[in-house]
Amino acid sequence: MNSHGEQDDQAQLRSLSVLYVEDEDEIREELAVFLRRRVATVHLAANGQAGLDAFTQYQPDLVITDIRMPVMNGFEMAERIRAMSPTIPIIITTAFEETSYFQKAIDLGVDKYVTKPLNLDILAAALRKCARLIRAEAALREVDERYPLLFRPSHSAISVAAADGRAVETRAVARDLSERAEHALQLAARVFESSGEAIVITDPDNLILSVNRAFSKLTGYSQNEVIGKNPRLLKSDRHDQAFYQQLWDCLLGTGHWQGEIWNRRKNGEAYPEWLSITVVRDTQGQVLNYIAIFSDISEIKAAMQQIEFLAHYDPLTRLANRRLLEQRVEQLIALAARNKEQLALLFIDLDRFKVVNDSLGHAAGDVILETVAQRLRATMREVDCLARLGGDEFVCVLHEVIEPPDVHAAARRLIAVLDEPLQVAGHTLTVTSSIGISLYPGDGVDYETLLKNADAAMYSAKKAGRDRFAFFCESMNVSMAREREIESALRRALSLNEFVLHYQPQVAIGSGRIIGMEALLRWNSAQLGPIAPGAFIPLAEETGLIVAIGEWVLHEACRQNAQWQRQGLPPAVVAVNLSALQFRQSNLPETVRGALQASGLAARWLELELTESLIMQDAEYTIASLRALKEIGTTLAIDDFGTGYSSLAYLKRFAIDKLKIDQSFIRDIPDDDDDKIVTAIIGLAHALNLKVIAEGVETDGQLAFLRERHCDEMQGYLYSRPLPAAAMEELLKACCSPVQ
Ligand SMILES: Nc1nc2c(ncn2[C@@H]2O[C@H](COP(=O)(O)O[C@H]3[C@@H](O)[C@H](n4cnc5c(=O)[nH]c(N)nc54)O[C@@H]3COP(=O)(O)O)[C@@H](O)[C@H]2O)c(=O)[nH]1
């Protein structure tokens, strides 16, 4: 037997339960130790009757028994066991070598006869043989169950071994199945024909005798085309000679082989199949037939490949996913450590992707991500590892003799290629990116640390204005940790009622009267203390929390303003800032209407401020959205005017009422350049029939300048800082002190 078969036998043995019946205590205990090392369970009995009881109770797979024992001898016990279980292997161990004993054993269908004193090697071989018998029996049972009565071999054999290993006698024991009925054979033949699995029966020379319909369907060969041929006509080129050699060794050694194999259909297509072959032998052990049963497993394999793909790749971009990235980076780290080289991990995050995704829809977002993946692939070397972590986050790992100048160059290349405009859903968009870079081994020696540090560097690139890259340095982790802290407190702030609004008066420059006020959000965190808007509003935007927060601001500003009006205070417009994400919510008009209805505030007392850069991002969308807001009756102002790139053509089409000159232009008045810009903005607003307000007015000189240029309104510390509601109320009560 080949060693593979021996291993199979031993494995089979390890799963078996054995009943050992022996009246001599010493021998029984000694052999029990030997058996326990080889089989799963050993049941012991001291005589035939106890053995019979144990057999009924435990239903073991194999019985080893002495013959001469008190109460009931081994033959009688074996006979009764055989009556209950005709195929169970039985090994007889005895000191008696008389022929009558052998004859009796043969009549009983005993499988092995091992003489005492016991030679443990011979007993071990007998056990292995029985294990093989059990396995073959199981395989035959399987065939038998599927195709009843058709392929059942009709023999087993007994061999008798003496203590020195010499064969004493071998005889065939018939287990004749001839009584199987004619109608059962016909039934089996029908099963054969209608089986969904392909079946091939060959003769001892392995020439095809018969195939069923499923065979023809699967392979494309008709019965006539294959009868008399060797099944190797199906052979593909996917396996070497050693594979087939092993198959045949196993088949002839154990009587059975099953496994996955690639074959070829008549049309030339290779396909994988699950093949199970059984050898049918006659009573002399001569091969009668080979029966092969197989099914096409292409679909199962394709499904498995798909699962394998999904486990390691991002289905949208077909880049490696987070799991595969981690594996690859760990391999690259090991390689770099061996070769004493550096690695660079580039963490790439698209700027304001969420805004685009929310406004243009997820299908457009997917197109952007696919385009980015293509561009990254085209820009990086084949050897570099590229992955999508999820969302709009990508990672690129540069390796093989990496020095900082190479990394600079690569990062610059990536920024440039991602900056190029792309076409999505009929829009031309520019989606910039921010890149954080960590280096192995300087910034970390394991995947987790390198990724975390590159993430911190990416964050810092974003903070520095986006569309750039940054190398990691230790201080970044500190500021990132602080931001994470703020972010987690921010998620709870609304439910904890930690937000309030302050109001900054807006004043008509001509009359000096308060005509409005800007509602400005303030957060007093129970956990972190007061947090400046500049520190949490960008975070709220990045996380999307701004939508819920912004809705709260709208409701609160309207509620407060309506309440002041009900108190009889002079009516004033309340201006509320809308963030980009809020503006892109398709239900924004409903939200605004809801806030007005809930508070009872008339729409003309609510002004919505949108930044110039926001409304110019997608001007056509803006035109429609502004119109929808305008229909509600609110006024609309463009905030931070002068910092974006407005198109005059669009400005004329936007349903706006007011331009708000950015405070950066006011700050340096008098300054030649800024003076000119402010003058031009005022002129433009008036030319377009729009009001104009200057924000950040801090000095009398600035106010005088604005008054001279006929700027309509002003807002700034000169008149008042943003005030809590109670202070603003007092100011409204004191009613409009004129500007000096
Ligand atoms: N989406 C929302 N954004 C909001 C909301 N509330 C505030 N914000 C935005 O946060 C940014 C910072 O706001 P804040 O710290 O409140 O600063 C405002 C004023 O305090 C400040 N200001 C006003 N006058 C002066 C001045 O004379 N000098 C000076 N140095 N600063 C002054 O300007 C900020 C108002 O800016 P703007 O909105 O552009 O009019 C800021 O961008 C807010 O927009 C909110 O509820 N939602």
Side-chain angles (χ1 to χ4, degrees):
M1 191 194 355
N2 62 22
S3 62
H4 187 68
E6 199 162 306
Q7 280 168 15
D8 285 350
D9 295 342
Q10 273 156 0
Q12 176 82 30
L13 268 178
R14 276 193 292 278
S15 68
L16 297 184
S17 74
V18 171
L19 170 63
Y20 176 40
V21 190
E22 169 63 62
D23 59 339
E24 282 184 55
D25 294 350
E26 210 176 305
I27 299 181
R28 192 172 64 243
E29 289 314 317
E30 197 184 314
L31 207 64
V33 173
F34 167 85
L35 288 171
R36 282 192 191 107
R37 281 200 222 107
R38 285 165 175 78
V39 303
T41 321
V42 178
H43 305 288
L44 299 176
N47 61 60
Q49 183 56 57
L52 202 55
D53 294 344
F55 179 84
T56 319
Q57 185 180 354
Y58 301 116
Q59 298 287 312
D61 302 302
L62 169 68
V63 177
I64 305 172
T65 184
D66 187 18
I67 295 179
R68 292 187 75 176
M69 291 182 291
V71 188
M72 183 190 286
N73 71 35
F75 279 144
E76 195 183 342
M77 182 195 76
E79 196 166 3
R80 297 225 203 153
I81 288 177
R82 266 276 174 267
M84 287 187 272
S85 177
T87 58
I88 187 169
I90 301 177
I91 297 175
I92 282 193
T93 62
T94 182
F96 298 93
E97 291 192 26
E98 285 100 326
T99 312
S100 63
Y101 273 69
F102 295 149
Q103 187 56 53
K104 178 80 175 155
I106 289 162
D107 291 346
L108 279 173
V110 162
D111 296 87
K112 275 275 174 186
Y113 193 108
V114 183
T115 54
K116 286 180 179 173
L118 290 174
N119 176 327
L120 294 182
D121 286 341
I122 291 175
L123 185 61
L127 283 170
R128 284 200 301 275
K129 178 91 186 290
C130 287
R132 216 175 313 151
L133 270 177
I134 290 170
R135 204 163 63 246
E137 195 68 46
L140 290 169
R141 214 167 24 245
E142 189 191 320
V143 173
D144 208 16
E145 275 160 12
R146 290 198 201 184
Y147 312 104
L149 315 176
L150 192 59
F151 311 123
R152 191 80 160 92
S154 57
H155 82 286
S156 67
I158 175 169
S159 61
V160 181
D164 58 2
R166 128 191 85 89
V168 177
E169 189 167 347
T170 303
R171 270 185 55 176
V173 179
R175 287 195 199 156
D176 197 303
L177 301 172
S178 58
E179 76 279 4
R180 302 204 176 201
E182 178 70 23
H183 80 271
L185 284 168
Q186 284 168 0
L187 181 66
R190 276 212 299 279
V191 173
F192 170 78
E193 248 325 292
S194 60
S195 164
E197 288 177 289
I199 304 174
V200 184
I201 303 173
T202 60
D203 68 10
D205 297 325
N206 204 24
L207 299 177
I208 296 176
L209 294 172
S210 176
V211 295
N212 67 350
R213 258 198 298 274
F215 170 92
S216 299
K217 196 165 165 220
L218 200 157
T219 62
Y221 289 105
S222 69
Q223 168 128 343
N224 288 343
E225 284 174 304
V226 295
I227 297 292
K229 303 234 168 93
N230 191 300
R232 80 169 69 93
L233 92 159
L234 298 173
K235 203 168 156 184
S236 73
D237 307 325
R238 304 239 180 158
H239 307 285
D240 57 12
Q241 198 43 44
F243 173 87
Y244 292 104
Q245 189 58 51
Q246 265 179 359
L247 184 158
W248 277 102
D249 287 349
C250 176
L251 184 59
L252 296 174
T254 66
H256 190 72
W257 183 89
Q258 69 173 356
E260 189 184 313
I261 187 167
W262 281 83
N263 270 342
R264 197 174 290 288
R265 298 186 222 276
K266 188 181 171 188
N267 66 8
E269 181 197 358
Y271 67 95
E273 64 181 38
W274 185 258
L275 172 63
S276 177
I277 314 177
T278 301
V279 187
V280 181
R281 294 178 194 272
D282 65 12
T283 50
Q284 267 71 48
Q286 296 302 308
V287 173
L288 287 176
N289 301 101
Y290 299 98
I291 302 160
I293 303 171
F294 57 92
S295 50
D296 185 343
I297 54 168
S298 318
E299 281 178 19
I300 298 171
K301 275 190 83 79
M304 280 166 65
Q305 273 165 4
Q306 175 73 353
I307 292 166
E308 160 78 10
F309 177 78
L310 291 175
H312 292 105
Y313 291 89
D314 164 41
L316 177 68
T317 60
R318 307 188 81 79
L319 296 181
N321 68 8
R322 189 181 279 273
R323 187 180 292 122
L324 185 56
L325 173 74
E326 179 172 354
Q327 290 168 11
R328 289 205 178 148
V329 172
E330 275 162 5
Q331 288 161 0
L332 290 174
I333 287 175
L335 201 68
R338 226 182 4 259
N339 299 341
K340 303 217 172 338
E341 286 171 357
Q342 291 204 87
L343 291 180
L345 191 148
L346 283 71
F347 194 118
I348 304 159
D349 187 284
L350 306 185
D351 297 331
R352 301 184 211 283
F353 176 73
K354 191 168 168 42
V355 177
V356 182
N357 204 30
D358 287 353
S359 56
L360 297 184
H362 287 211
D366 285 355
V367 173
I368 295 174
L369 294 171
E370 284 176 86
T371 311
V372 166
Q374 279 160 17
R375 289 181 182 181
L376 291 175
R377 225 183 264 114
T379 313
M380 306 315 301
R381 301 173 308 169
E382 279 280 314
V383 291
D384 294 326
C385 160
L386 206 50
R388 178 176 171 223
L389 288 186
D392 60 343
E393 294 174 345
F394 296 82
V395 163
C396 176
V397 184
L398 311 177
H399 61 107
E400 288 181 359
V401 208
I402 288 299
E403 295 299 334
D406 306 327
V407 187
H408 266 99
R412 263 196 299 273
R413 250 193 343 263
L414 288 176
I415 293 274
V417 81
L418 296 180
D419 269 5
E420 281 167 26
L422 43 85
Q423 298 293 324
V424 187
H427 302 262
T428 304
L429 294 181
T430 302
V431 181
T432 61
S433 58
S434 301
I435 302 180
I437 303 165
S438 64
L439 298 173
Y440 166 89
D443 300 331
V445 291
D446 59 82
Y447 166 75
E448 288 296 332
T449 315
L450 286 171
L451 190 74
K452 178 172 78 72
N453 290 344
D455 186 18
M458 181 279 293
Y459 226 74
S460 125
K462 285 232 189 274
K463 290 277 154 292
R466 298 183 164 93
D467 195 15
R468 66 197 61 210
F469 62 90
F471 279 82
F472 171 74
C473 66
E474 207 45 64
S475 63
M476 289 172 177
N477 271 334
V478 179
S479 64
M480 193 156 123
R482 169 74 180 160
E483 287 202 1
R484 294 275 181 257
E485 207 176 19
I486 294 178
E487 187 183 318
S488 90
L490 191 60
R491 290 186 185 279
R492 298 187 300 271
L494 255 188
S495 57
L496 294 177
N497 245 336
E498 293 180 336
F499 292 120
V500 288
L501 289 185
H502 284 194
Y503 299 87
Q504 187 174 35
Q506 296 176 331
V507 175
I509 294 180
S511 66
R513 291 184 185 282
I514 297 176
I515 41 83
M517 57 213 154
E518 182 177 4
L520 292 160
L521 186 61
R522 297 292 178 260
W523 176 27
N524 207 350
S525 161
Q527 184 192 336
L528 307 168
I531 312 278
F536 74 85
I537 285 187
L539 260 182
E541 278 168 352
E542 273 162 35
T543 52
L545 291 168
I546 195 70
V547 175
I549 297 174
E551 191 170 339
W552 178 86
V553 172
L554 263 172
H555 275 261
E556 177 56 15
C558 292
R559 186 201 64 77
Q560 182 63 80
N561 201 15
Q563 184 184 311
W564 283 331
Q565 292 187 9
R566 277 196 289 272
Q567 284 172 223
L569 297 176
V573 170
V574 67
V576 169
N577 290 285
L578 289 187
S579 78
L581 206 55
Q582 267 180 292
F583 186 59
R584 302 288 176 200
Q585 301 298 305
S586 56
N587 64 346
L588 179 64
E590 282 83 72
T591 307
V592 172
R593 265 198 202 93
L596 291 169
Q597 267 160 17
S599 61
L601 185 74
R604 69 175 186 284
W605 300 112
L606 174 65
E607 183 166 275
L608 300 172
E609 287 190 10
L610 299 126
T611 62
E612 183 185 22
S613 49
L614 159 64
I615 64 170
M616 285 301 165
Q617 246 172 39
D618 182 359
E620 292 300 332
Y621 175 87
T622 301
I623 291 169
S625 302
L626 292 182
R627 200 165 292 142
L629 293 173
K630 195 79 191 130
E631 276 166 13
I632 300 172
T634 60
T635 53
L636 299 172
I638 300 186
D639 200 2
D640 302 338
F641 195 82
T643 54
Y645 296 93
S646 284
S647 139
L648 186 61
Y650 281 126
L651 268 186
K652 286 204 312 211
R653 294 174 62 198
F654 290 158
I656 48 170
D657 304 280
K658 197 188 273 186
L659 297 185
K660 196 168 184 185
I661 307 172
D662 189 68
Q663 52 181 286
S664 59
F665 302 115
I666 307 296
R667 192 176 302 137
D668 295 329
I669 289 173
D671 165 278
D672 232 21
D673 288 345
D674 286 344
D675 291 0
K676 284 190 192 128
I677 293 170
V678 172
T679 308
I681 294 175
I682 295 169
L684 172 72
H686 288 162
L688 291 170
N689 267 335
L690 303 175
K691 289 265 186 221
V692 60
I693 180 170
E695 67 173 328
V697 181
E698 293 183 351
T699 66
D700 290 331
Q702 290 164 350
L703 179 59
F705 176 90
L706 293 166
R707 184 178 283 126
E708 215 171 281
R709 299 283 175 309
H710 306 291
C711 179
D712 303 295
E713 298 163 8
M714 61 78 79
Q715 174 185 344
Y717 294 171
L718 178 67
Y719 189 84
S720 169
R721 286 183 175 259
L723 302 169
M728 184 68 208
E729 190 174 315
E730 289 310 312
L731 197 62
L732 284 172
K733 275 181 190 157
C735 193
C736 321
S737 26
V739 182
Q740 297 306 305

